Amino acid sequence: MIQINGTLKLAPDTLSKGREAIVAMVRASRAEDGCLEYGFAQDLTDPDVLYLVERWRDRAALDAHSASPHMAEFKRAMAANPAMERDLRIFETDDGLPLG
């Protein structure tokens, strides 16, 4: 399994401008073959920070996602208001175990 985790630090008001593009991309990504999880979460202490979590069945599914039309549209939308900071990491992992 491939997992991507990370943070995006946005300029003030960027989220309000880009929310529609983010939601459209998340919905389309979740419908893709091989997508196990895809989501953004807003930091409760800093509304300009987003956390990203993606889980993909394999590298081929991630590569297809990266080449998808909705990902290209998302990149165009976000290019107008790019992240000020970005720290994304990719991992090859197993399915993990339930905690607790």
Side-chain angles (χ1 to χ4, degrees), residues 12-86:
D13 297 324
T14 298
L15 184 56
S16 62
K17 296 174 190 172
R19 184 179 298 275
E20 189 174 310
I22 293 170
V23 169
M25 190 270 300
V26 168
R27 286 182 175 149
S29 298
R30 287 177 178 171
E32 288 182 70
D33 180 45
C35 180
L36 305 174
E37 180 179 6
Y38 202 104
F40 284 90
Q42 190 173 24
D43 189 310
L44 297 177
T45 64
D46 185 344
D48 296 324
V49 171
L50 296 179
Y51 295 98
L52 172 65
V53 176
E54 300 179 37
R55 291 188 317 125
W56 297 92
R57 177 184 58 229
D58 52 32
R59 190 60 183 229
L62 176 59
D63 290 346
H65 165 70
S66 297
S68 68
H70 61 268
M71 194 61 182
E73 178 61 31
F74 173 72
K75 287 178 182 178
R76 279 191 296 276
M78 295 309 289
N81 295 289
M84 294 171 39
E85 296 174 30
R86 180 180 160 197

